[in-house]
Amino acid sequence: DTGVSQNPRHKITKRGQNVTFRCDPISEHNRLYWYRQTLGQGPEFLTYFQNEAQLEKSRLLSDRFSAERPKGSFSTLEIQRTEQGDSAMYLCASSFSGDYYNEQFFGPGTRLTVL
Amino acid sequence: DAKTTQPNSMESNEEEPVHLPCNHSTISGTDYIHWYRQLPSQGPEYVIHGLTSNVNNRMASLAIAEDRKSSTLILHRATLRDAAVYYCILIRGSGDKLTFGTGTRLAVRP
């Protein structure tokens, strides 16, 4: 399977704990995006990378959130001191900047539940 | 970002055509109209996009109004697998992030 993969698929944690999610994009894609989706809402943009450079961050991305893409391949999203409001589906997508229309390919998401 | 407006929900019978509308009255000349859909328990997937002319692909057709202030996604024969939330999104030029609204939840009756 050469699609976008995300791990873990589900994560349950207690309030105050740190969590880290991983996204592996399609191999030839140089852009990688993180989105968050709560129940009944469309996904909300969090941040995106082109290669290893983080080019944009949403105001939604508080200082408890940090994302990295150290070698321009996989990416991690870490949430420190989780809060119940962080419970959501975290989606990763990738695309190729040489594709003018920038079709984004999404992974299956990581569902986070903060107790 | 220019805003889009879609009905919250629609229903269709299996094997009948479905027309999903989207209003985008503040669209600018460089905005492309993209449609994505999200099947239950999956990430969104690209459906189709266009700028000014109507477009067809294996999944759907996109009809764009002459003034570009609205568009319609057409599924020619709905199947049960087409039950999903459909999002109409405007992207400027080569764009970057996707700005999703709440989309239209399509139910397909057997």
Side-chain angles (χ1 to χ4, degrees):
Chain A
D1 186 5
T2 57
V4 178
S5 62
Q6 294 187 245
N7 288 289
R9 295 292 308 276
H10 303 272
K11 178 70 176 178
I12 299 174
T13 191
K14 292 182 179 179
R15 186 165 50 94
Q17 298 294 305
N18 299 343
V19 295
T20 300
F21 310 140
R22 177 178 170 126
C23 171
D24 287 89
I26 293 172
S27 58
E28 60 268 27
H29 285 180
N30 58 347
R31 286 183 174 172
L32 187 148
Y33 307 79
W34 286 99
Y35 294 85
R36 180 173 67 187
Q37 185 173 27
T38 55
L39 202 62
Q41 302 297 312
E44 295 174 301
F45 168 77
L46 293 179
T47 187
Y48 98 95
F49 295 83
Q50 180 153 317
N51 302 312
E52 64 275 10
Q54 190 173 16
L55 296 188
E56 186 174 350
K57 292 194 294 186
S58 165
R59 287 169 295 175
L60 294 174
L61 210 65
S62 78
D63 57 5
R64 297 185 297 106
F65 288 69
S66 62
E68 293 184 343
R69 194 182 183 199
K71 296 182 180 178
S73 56
F74 73 92
S75 175
T76 58
L77 177 68
E78 180 183 17
I79 309 175
Q80 295 182 326
R81 305 180 303 281
T82 53
E83 302 173 356
Q84 288 184 325
D86 297 331
S87 295
M89 176 74 82
Y90 289 83
L91 292 160
C92 175
S94 69
S95 69
F96 176 56
S97 61
D99 171 11
Y100 183 76
Y101 303 109
N102 195 36
E103 177 183 347
Q104 294 186 23
F105 294 80
F106 282 80
T110 294
R111 181 168 295 285
L112 173 66
T113 302
V114 181
L115 302 176
Chain B
D1 292 335
K3 186 175 172 59
T4 64
T5 305
Q6 300 177 253
N8 288 333
S9 62
M10 292 184 64
E11 285 189 343
S12 172
N13 293 320
E14 196 176 11
E15 298 189 2
E16 290 186 355
V18 182
H19 291 231
L20 298 165
C22 180
N23 288 319
H24 28 79
S25 57
T26 60
I27 191 170
S28 76
T30 56
D31 285 338
Y32 285 78
I33 302 159
H34 286 236
W35 285 79
Y36 279 73
R37 72 178 185 180
Q38 189 170 20
L39 302 173
S41 302
Q42 295 188 25
E45 63 177 353
Y46 167 84
V47 177
I48 199 167
H49 76 274
L51 182 61
T52 56
S53 303
N54 295 345
V55 184
N56 301 296
N57 68 18
R58 63 175 179 81
M59 290 180 71
S61 296
L62 177 60
I64 301 172
E66 194 169 337
D67 63 5
R68 299 206 331 122
K69 293 185 184 300
S70 65
S71 61
T72 302
L73 179 70
I74 302 166
L75 307 179
H76 295 287
R77 290 183 68 214
T79 69
L80 296 179
R81 194 190 175 278
D82 291 321
V85 179
Y86 287 78
Y87 298 98
C88 170
I89 301 169
L90 301 183
I91 301 176
R92 186 151 299 171
S94 61
D96 40 37
K97 63 182 180 287
L98 299 175
T99 302
F100 292 84
T102 52
T104 297
R105 182 173 297 277
L106 175 66
V108 180
R109 292 184 291 256

